[in-house]
Amino acid sequence: MSLLLIVLLPLLGSLLPSLSSNQRRHQCALLTAAMPLIALLVTLRETPGVIAGEVPRLAFSWVPALGLDLALRLDGLSLLFVLLILGIGLLIILYARHYLSEADNMPRFYAYLMLFMTSMLGIVMADNLILLWMFWELTSLSSFLLIGFWSHQSAARKGARMALAVTGMGGLALLAGLILIGQIVGTFDMQTVLDSRDVILADPRYLPALLLILLGAFTKSAQFPFQFWLPQAMAAPTPVSAFLHSATMVKAGVFLLARLHPALAGSQEWLYLVSLTGLVTMLYGAYFALIKLDLKTILAYSTVSHLGLITMLFGLNSQMAVVAGLFHILNHATFKAALFMTAGIVDHECGTRDIRKLKGLWRYMPMTTALAAITAASMAGFPLLNGFLSKEMMLAETLETPLLGGLAWLIPVLATIGSILAAAYSLRYVRNTFFDGKPRELEKTPHEASFPMRLPVLVLAIVCIIIGLFPAFSATGILTTAADAALTMPAPELHLSIWHGFNLPLLMSAIALIGGFMVYVLRQHLFTFHRQFPSRNSLAIFEGAVQRLVRFTQWGIDTLENGSLQRYMLWVVISALAVSGMSLMGIETLKGELAVQKADPLLIVGAAITCFAGLATAFLHRRRLISLIMLSVVGLMASLAFARFSAPDLALTQLAVEVVTVILLMLALFFLPQKTPKESSASRIVRDVLLAAGFGGVVASLNYALLTRPLNSISDYFLEHSVSGGGGHNVVNVILVDFRGFDTLGEITVLCIAGIGIYKLLNRLRLFMPSSDSEGRPWSPDRYPMILASVSQSLLPMALLVSVFIFLRGHNAPGGGFIAGLVTAVALILMYIAHGVEWAQQRLSFQYQPIAVSGVAIATLTGVGSWAFGYPFLTSAFGHFHIPLIGDVELATAMLFDLGVYLTVVGATLMILANLGKVTTSHRPSKQKEKA
Amino acid sequence: MEALFATTTGILAASGLYLALRGRTFPVVVGLTLLSYAVNLFLFSTGGLTTDGAAVISDDASKYADPLPQALVLTAIVIGFAMTAFSVILAMRVRGDVGSDHVNGNRVDEPREDKS
Amino acid sequence: MLDFALKISVALFAIAIVLNLYRVAVGPSLPDRILALDTMYVNSIALIVLFGIWLGHRTYFEAALLIAMLGFVSTVAVCKYLLRGDIIE
């Protein structure tokens, strides 16, 4: 449980600062510090156990389907990082309290910082690959907020965006890599993965997985060629830089290398990819750290360089190198956090970080000068400080490596060159800032920073010295446990001490320090040399690339999605043709093995009429009403076809819908132009005709191929169980209301939604209404013809009776809710046609929306009702009842469901048509005509 | 008979598609309706073309038409109506708001007679 | 005998429907087309009834009944459109 506390307390802590106001800064900082402090104490309580070899673990199942568990562990590696994150995090909280100005929103800053801390702790303690990735992405997001904290500055916004883009993309690659690993191993559980090194290395998917994971780690840790985002992230407030770029964010990448080292390392690919990338990054960062002029940029490049060093160590496939890498992680975190804080102090007190303006600050801030000198000396690898120890271990390891075979001597030489540069830029950082004459052009007179602001630096400097002087006492224990976790076998015995006797690594260290001094003295030549190269602004390049990408995608969107329905249709049809055409080509013969039935003359006539009417609908489309009449012929013929092929339910539905559709289209046509203008070019018509012909051909071929092949239908089940299981003899209706009732429920819901959508679309619609028909004749003055009115009125009760009859018998004979609903709707619509909206509304004084909605509600409740009896949703029950006068009636709960269908169909249809009819009631142009 | 049926669905589908590719809303809606007739016939035919099949379960019935495609097509017909209604009223709304019945929403041209 | 009569009448009604379609297609005036459509409904009813007699199913008579009613409504709607433009007002 304490593991969960360590991760969750800072998360809780991200809420606490907001309790405090921006004015009460002490309170705010204290509130923020409380939670990490408790978490640190909890960790310290666990520490002895972990060092003794225990690995506390905790797991809750979270999303088992994704292999995601909320699983945490605290092994040595996690412990090292947790202590770093919490310890340095607390110092940063203290430092930020005095660094942030009155104008900055402190609670917001602390909230982001705590969120970041949580995600970082999550990464190092995750015991599940997917969980690790989740926290990994959370660091990308929260670091985006932190880097862009001064969101009023363009540089901060752009830097944050760049960091998010680079690390976010790396995160996606990492996810892909982790999923590959998960597939190779069969689980995302960390321990299983770490134990399956042989399986992973032997799998052909190892290389892609490795590449993807390394992409994630290298983008996060700013390895070459992804180093460019880190210097841009210096636009962040200095406490953020001190935290993110010393102990946390960038260390996540190298942490991942250490964490997966047992599972992935040991191969040639790992050796070359990781160590060479690290080496190149180390040299690249060191060189630019020497060249740059801004204090924080210098530190940023030195961070890049040190991360390269650590990466190289992890890549060497040597156990001692891993120990050295872990040791350097610890050391780098201490001295780099301190150095960033001194840079922040200088910036805070002098108002600039330009190394050309700053000089001789030791006069004003002796304490800060001393602290900066100590920590920079550690960075340079000066003896008696912690940086010296890990750097010497690194140099010793480079001598051992098999990398590059016969050219293996290159590695130690290049490592020494990197160390020379490190010594040089450390010297430059201290001497140019704090010594070397007097400051120039400073905006304000510098003075010593307040004690609380110096305190975190002091603490870290003391840590540097303690580890440097007493390494065996202070660091061996935790390093050994951490190395145990990062290695497949127990860590080699560690002899940390200041003095190993005269040996080659010591010589190399000496060369590095002396060489660094000489490079520093001769630095002007280097600067002159560097000036020959055109300067490259990575931010401009990145932003340019982003702009180009945006333009390209915009172009792509504009081309594909230009707002033209015709073009969309074209794409859809062409893809449909391609897909179905391909599959048609795949079959051997169009005709299948089934015998063809003989066509009788009546059928031929019917087919001819249908084809003719269909083609006429298309060719007469410019005269819209005639086209519509042709459409209704097609509908009628389709209905006859259904009747001919033994589907009376379909025939009735089709017929009713056909009538309703024609009424609907004519209602709409009144408000639309009566004729379509001739505007398609000849080539467009040829194209469309060809497309349509191709489409028709494919549909016909598909249909023929389907009809002549034997059928494997599940219908036999329905036929067998219709009476016994659904209590109805009309199988179609039983399928609708019982077997597949859930589909029908969805269907009527869609119908209801369509009706409501139309109701809203018609809201306050004012349309142009023609005052005469398409041939220029004025409308007839007789609004409601007498004969029509009387005939339709006598038809109404009959139609309603028919619909009730069709509804009731639907379960056992053709009919049912759909058809009955449509018949009722048509009968009521006839009233509207014959008498007008006002007349009908006086007599039908109810709204249709509630009817449609209550229909859906009844159907749903019928389904829910079966829960009450312990059956699944929509289970139907039926039984026989004797009703006086009517006789034996079979009643099923499906009937109630069908009632819901009926009400929905009636409600939705009338909602559509009656509302459409209402559009015109208020005013008619013909009235004006009468007046005129 | 099968070839005849298939040809008919093909021709209906082709006519519907040709209309759906037109530039004005009304022919497009008519085309979609035609297309949905074709699709319904097509889906219905997946159960085979049965002449004189019994519609309801009874003891003396010798053969039945496949009920499953029928149930599917029945709802498809009703949903097809809802879709037609929605698209045609969308077309009216566009004409009211944009003043044109072109499917691409071009603000055109057409002479608007007297506005009521 | 019944079979023979059925065949003859089916053939005649089929011809009638084809002729209706001709009228619907060529017009010339809109009322011509509407009248033809209405007649087509009537002829379809006849066809369905004949079909029902041939197969001996009751179901088809009910379908005929519905076609009669719905065909009437359809024709009324088109006529109203011709007269007033707006069907429901």
PDB file of all heavy atoms in Angstrom, chain C residues 28-48:
ATOM      1  N   PRO C  28     -49.484  13.396 -72.754  1.00  0.00           N
ATOM      2  CA  PRO C  28     -48.606  14.562 -72.747  1.00  0.00           C
ATOM      3  C   PRO C  28     -48.791  15.455 -71.526  1.00  0.00           C
ATOM      4  O   PRO C  28     -47.837  16.069 -71.084  1.00  0.00           O
ATOM      5  CB  PRO C  28     -49.006  15.307 -74.021  1.00  0.00           C
ATOM      6  CG  PRO C  28     -50.416  14.893 -74.265  1.00  0.00           C
ATOM      7  CD  PRO C  28     -50.574  13.523 -73.737  1.00  0.00           C
ATOM      8  N   SER C  29     -50.015  15.536 -70.989  1.00  0.00           N
ATOM      9  CA  SER C  29     -50.172  16.482 -69.874  1.00  0.00           C
ATOM     10  C   SER C  29     -50.043  15.730 -68.545  1.00  0.00           C
ATOM     11  O   SER C  29     -50.149  14.507 -68.501  1.00  0.00           O
ATOM     12  CB  SER C  29     -51.542  17.150 -69.961  1.00  0.00           C
ATOM     13  OG  SER C  29     -52.535  16.231 -69.599  1.00  0.00           O
ATOM     14  N   LEU C  30     -49.852  16.488 -67.493  1.00  0.00           N
ATOM     15  CA  LEU C  30     -49.694  15.874 -66.181  1.00  0.00           C
ATOM     16  C   LEU C  30     -50.921  15.087 -65.738  1.00  0.00           C
ATOM     17  O   LEU C  30     -50.789  13.971 -65.240  1.00  0.00           O
ATOM     18  CB  LEU C  30     -49.343  16.929 -65.138  1.00  0.00           C
ATOM     19  CG  LEU C  30     -47.846  17.098 -64.899  1.00  0.00           C
ATOM     20  CD1 LEU C  30     -47.605  18.244 -63.946  1.00  0.00           C
ATOM     21  CD2 LEU C  30     -47.270  15.811 -64.324  1.00  0.00           C
ATOM     22  N   PRO C  31     -52.140  15.637 -65.889  1.00  0.00           N
ATOM     23  CA  PRO C  31     -53.309  14.840 -65.506  1.00  0.00           C
ATOM     24  C   PRO C  31     -53.364  13.498 -66.215  1.00  0.00           C
ATOM     25  O   PRO C  31     -53.764  12.495 -65.609  1.00  0.00           O
ATOM     26  CB  PRO C  31     -54.478  15.738 -65.901  1.00  0.00           C
ATOM     27  CG  PRO C  31     -53.932  17.104 -65.809  1.00  0.00           C
ATOM     28  CD  PRO C  31     -52.497  17.019 -66.224  1.00  0.00           C
ATOM     29  N   ASP C  32     -52.899  13.453 -67.485  1.00  0.00           N
ATOM     30  CA  ASP C  32     -52.850  12.173 -68.195  1.00  0.00           C
ATOM     31  C   ASP C  32     -51.999  11.179 -67.421  1.00  0.00           C
ATOM     32  O   ASP C  32     -52.379  10.025 -67.212  1.00  0.00           O
ATOM     33  CB  ASP C  32     -52.246  12.357 -69.594  1.00  0.00           C
ATOM     34  CG  ASP C  32     -53.179  13.132 -70.490  1.00  0.00           C
ATOM     35  OD1 ASP C  32     -54.388  13.062 -70.243  1.00  0.00           O
ATOM     36  OD2 ASP C  32     -52.691  13.821 -71.401  1.00  0.00           O
ATOM     37  N   ARG C  33     -50.856  11.660 -67.039  1.00  0.00           N
ATOM     38  CA  ARG C  33     -49.922  10.767 -66.340  1.00  0.00           C
ATOM     39  C   ARG C  33     -50.526  10.294 -65.027  1.00  0.00           C
ATOM     40  O   ARG C  33     -50.404   9.121 -64.653  1.00  0.00           O
ATOM     41  CB  ARG C  33     -48.612  11.499 -66.052  1.00  0.00           C
ATOM     42  CG  ARG C  33     -47.848  11.915 -67.292  1.00  0.00           C
ATOM     43  CD  ARG C  33     -46.672  12.784 -66.880  1.00  0.00           C
ATOM     44  NE  ARG C  33     -46.190  13.601 -67.984  1.00  0.00           N
ATOM     45  CZ  ARG C  33     -45.218  13.229 -68.803  1.00  0.00           C
ATOM     46  NH1 ARG C  33     -44.635  12.088 -68.645  1.00  0.00           N
ATOM     47  NH2 ARG C  33     -44.840  14.019 -69.784  1.00  0.00           N
ATOM     48  N   ILE C  34     -51.148  11.209 -64.298  1.00  0.00           N
ATOM     49  CA  ILE C  34     -51.693  10.839 -62.992  1.00  0.00           C
ATOM     50  C   ILE C  34     -52.806   9.823 -63.147  1.00  0.00           C
ATOM     51  O   ILE C  34     -52.874   8.822 -62.405  1.00  0.00           O
ATOM     52  CB  ILE C  34     -52.194  12.098 -62.259  1.00  0.00           C
ATOM     53  CG1 ILE C  34     -50.999  12.992 -61.950  1.00  0.00           C
ATOM     54  CG2 ILE C  34     -52.926  11.728 -60.994  1.00  0.00           C
ATOM     55  CD1 ILE C  34     -51.379  14.354 -61.493  1.00  0.00           C
ATOM     56  N   LEU C  35     -53.640  10.073 -64.131  1.00  0.00           N
ATOM     57  CA  LEU C  35     -54.731   9.143 -64.395  1.00  0.00           C
ATOM     58  C   LEU C  35     -54.170   7.767 -64.737  1.00  0.00           C
ATOM     59  O   LEU C  35     -54.658   6.731 -64.253  1.00  0.00           O
ATOM     60  CB  LEU C  35     -55.568   9.681 -65.562  1.00  0.00           C
ATOM     61  CG  LEU C  35     -57.035   9.270 -65.554  1.00  0.00           C
ATOM     62  CD1 LEU C  35     -57.684   9.706 -64.253  1.00  0.00           C
ATOM     63  CD2 LEU C  35     -57.752   9.898 -66.741  1.00  0.00           C
ATOM     64  N   ALA C  36     -53.108   7.779 -65.536  1.00  0.00           N
ATOM     65  CA  ALA C  36     -52.491   6.509 -65.929  1.00  0.00           C
ATOM     66  C   ALA C  36     -51.927   5.793 -64.709  1.00  0.00           C
ATOM     67  O   ALA C  36     -52.051   4.577 -64.565  1.00  0.00           O
ATOM     68  CB  ALA C  36     -51.393   6.766 -66.953  1.00  0.00           C
ATOM     69  N   LEU C  37     -51.318   6.570 -63.825  1.00  0.00           N
ATOM     70  CA  LEU C  37     -50.742   5.957 -62.619  1.00  0.00           C
ATOM     71  C   LEU C  37     -51.832   5.320 -61.771  1.00  0.00           C
ATOM     72  O   LEU C  37     -51.684   4.208 -61.256  1.00  0.00           O
ATOM     73  CB  LEU C  37     -49.986   7.016 -61.820  1.00  0.00           C
ATOM     74  CG  LEU C  37     -49.246   6.501 -60.595  1.00  0.00           C
ATOM     75  CD1 LEU C  37     -48.116   5.584 -61.004  1.00  0.00           C
ATOM     76  CD2 LEU C  37     -48.717   7.641 -59.756  1.00  0.00           C
ATOM     77  N   ASP C  38     -52.947   6.070 -61.651  1.00  0.00           N
ATOM     78  CA  ASP C  38     -54.039   5.550 -60.842  1.00  0.00           C
ATOM     79  C   ASP C  38     -54.577   4.260 -61.454  1.00  0.00           C
ATOM     80  O   ASP C  38     -54.831   3.269 -60.749  1.00  0.00           O
ATOM     81  CB  ASP C  38     -55.144   6.604 -60.739  1.00  0.00           C
ATOM     82  CG  ASP C  38     -56.168   6.221 -59.683  1.00  0.00           C
ATOM     83  OD1 ASP C  38     -55.724   5.818 -58.575  1.00  0.00           O
ATOM     84  OD2 ASP C  38     -57.366   6.301 -59.967  1.00  0.00           O
ATOM     85  N   THR C  39     -54.717   4.244 -62.755  1.00  0.00           N
ATOM     86  CA  THR C  39     -55.179   3.044 -63.436  1.00  0.00           C
ATOM     87  C   THR C  39     -54.199   1.895 -63.225  1.00  0.00           C
ATOM     88  O   THR C  39     -54.582   0.731 -63.085  1.00  0.00           O
ATOM     89  CB  THR C  39     -55.329   3.311 -64.939  1.00  0.00           C
ATOM     90  OG1 THR C  39     -55.899   4.592 -65.115  1.00  0.00           O
ATOM     91  CG2 THR C  39     -56.200   2.266 -65.578  1.00  0.00           C
ATOM     92  N   MET C  40     -52.951   2.259 -63.177  1.00  0.00           N
ATOM     93  CA  MET C  40     -51.936   1.249 -62.959  1.00  0.00           C
ATOM     94  C   MET C  40     -52.102   0.595 -61.593  1.00  0.00           C
ATOM     95  O   MET C  40     -51.966  -0.628 -61.459  1.00  0.00           O
ATOM     96  CB  MET C  40     -50.576   1.926 -63.024  1.00  0.00           C
ATOM     97  CG  MET C  40     -49.459   0.997 -63.383  1.00  0.00           C
ATOM     98  SD  MET C  40     -48.130   1.974 -64.013  1.00  0.00           S
ATOM     99  CE  MET C  40     -46.823   0.847 -63.801  1.00  0.00           C
ATOM    100  N   TYR C  41     -52.443   1.430 -60.608  1.00  0.00           N
ATOM    101  CA  TYR C  41     -52.719   0.864 -59.284  1.00  0.00           C
ATOM    102  C   TYR C  41     -53.870  -0.118 -59.377  1.00  0.00           C
ATOM    103  O   TYR C  41     -53.821  -1.226 -58.837  1.00  0.00           O
ATOM    104  CB  TYR C  41     -53.065   1.977 -58.290  1.00  0.00           C
ATOM    105  CG  TYR C  41     -51.866   2.591 -57.620  1.00  0.00           C
ATOM    106  CD1 TYR C  41     -51.415   3.850 -57.959  1.00  0.00           C
ATOM    107  CD2 TYR C  41     -51.185   1.892 -56.618  1.00  0.00           C
ATOM    108  CE1 TYR C  41     -50.317   4.408 -57.344  1.00  0.00           C
ATOM    109  CE2 TYR C  41     -50.089   2.437 -56.005  1.00  0.00           C
ATOM    110  CZ  TYR C  41     -49.652   3.701 -56.368  1.00  0.00           C
ATOM    111  OH  TYR C  41     -48.579   4.231 -55.763  1.00  0.00           O
ATOM    112  N   VAL C  42     -54.916   0.299 -60.072  1.00  0.00           N
ATOM    113  CA  VAL C  42     -56.101  -0.557 -60.184  1.00  0.00           C
ATOM    114  C   VAL C  42     -55.728  -1.886 -60.847  1.00  0.00           C
ATOM    115  O   VAL C  42     -56.104  -2.971 -60.383  1.00  0.00           O
ATOM    116  CB  VAL C  42     -57.209   0.163 -60.983  1.00  0.00           C
ATOM    117  CG1 VAL C  42     -58.383  -0.782 -61.228  1.00  0.00           C
ATOM    118  CG2 VAL C  42     -57.662   1.400 -60.251  1.00  0.00           C
ATOM    119  N   ASN C  43     -54.951  -1.805 -61.912  1.00  0.00           N
ATOM    120  CA  ASN C  43     -54.559  -3.024 -62.621  1.00  0.00           C
ATOM    121  C   ASN C  43     -53.669  -3.910 -61.757  1.00  0.00           C
ATOM    122  O   ASN C  43     -53.764  -5.140 -61.820  1.00  0.00           O
ATOM    123  CB  ASN C  43     -53.843  -2.664 -63.925  1.00  0.00           C
ATOM    124  CG  ASN C  43     -54.813  -2.140 -64.963  1.00  0.00           C
ATOM    125  OD1 ASN C  43     -55.990  -2.518 -64.956  1.00  0.00           O
ATOM    126  ND2 ASN C  43     -54.354  -1.264 -65.818  1.00  0.00           N
ATOM    127  N   SER C  44     -52.821  -3.260 -60.939  1.00  0.00           N
ATOM    128  CA  SER C  44     -51.981  -4.068 -60.044  1.00  0.00           C
ATOM    129  C   SER C  44     -52.842  -4.826 -59.060  1.00  0.00           C
ATOM    130  O   SER C  44     -52.560  -5.990 -58.741  1.00  0.00           O
ATOM    131  CB  SER C  44     -51.017  -3.195 -59.244  1.00  0.00           C
ATOM    132  OG  SER C  44     -50.522  -2.186 -60.019  1.00  0.00           O
ATOM    133  N   ILE C  45     -53.904  -4.142 -58.575  1.00  0.00           N
ATOM    134  CA  ILE C  45     -54.813  -4.820 -57.648  1.00  0.00           C
ATOM    135  C   ILE C  45     -55.360  -6.069 -58.316  1.00  0.00           C
ATOM    136  O   ILE C  45     -55.354  -7.173 -57.744  1.00  0.00           O
ATOM    137  CB  ILE C  45     -55.967  -3.886 -57.255  1.00  0.00           C
ATOM    138  CG1 ILE C  45     -55.430  -2.678 -56.500  1.00  0.00           C
ATOM    139  CG2 ILE C  45     -56.996  -4.622 -56.425  1.00  0.00           C
ATOM    140  CD1 ILE C  45     -56.434  -1.578 -56.339  1.00  0.00           C
ATOM    141  N   ALA C  46     -55.763  -5.902 -59.546  1.00  0.00           N
ATOM    142  CA  ALA C  46     -56.340  -7.037 -60.271  1.00  0.00           C
ATOM    143  C   ALA C  46     -55.326  -8.163 -60.396  1.00  0.00           C
ATOM    144  O   ALA C  46     -55.635  -9.333 -60.156  1.00  0.00           O
ATOM    145  CB  ALA C  46     -56.788  -6.574 -61.647  1.00  0.00           C
ATOM    146  N   LEU C  47     -54.094  -7.780 -60.742  1.00  0.00           N
ATOM    147  CA  LEU C  47     -53.046  -8.792 -60.901  1.00  0.00           C
ATOM    148  C   LEU C  47     -52.838  -9.566 -59.612  1.00  0.00           C
ATOM    149  O   LEU C  47     -52.736 -10.793 -59.614  1.00  0.00           O
ATOM    150  CB  LEU C  47     -51.740  -8.120 -61.308  1.00  0.00           C
ATOM    151  CG  LEU C  47     -51.437  -8.063 -62.806  1.00  0.00           C
ATOM    152  CD1 LEU C  47     -50.060  -7.484 -63.032  1.00  0.00           C
ATOM    153  CD2 LEU C  47     -51.517  -9.460 -63.403  1.00  0.00           C
ATOM    154  N   ILE C  48     -52.795  -8.802 -58.519  1.00  0.00           N
ATOM    155  CA  ILE C  48     -52.551  -9.454 -57.233  1.00  0.00           C
ATOM    156  C   ILE C  48     -53.685 -10.391 -56.875  1.00  0.00           C
ATOM    157  O   ILE C  48     -53.482 -11.519 -56.397  1.00  0.00           O
ATOM    158  CB  ILE C  48     -52.360  -8.379 -56.128  1.00  0.00           C
ATOM    159  CG1 ILE C  48     -51.072  -7.648 -56.379  1.00  0.00           C
ATOM    160  CG2 ILE C  48     -52.442  -9.002 -54.756  1.00  0.00           C
ATOM    161  CD1 ILE C  48     -50.235  -7.388 -55.189  1.00  0.00           C
TER     162      ILE C  48
END
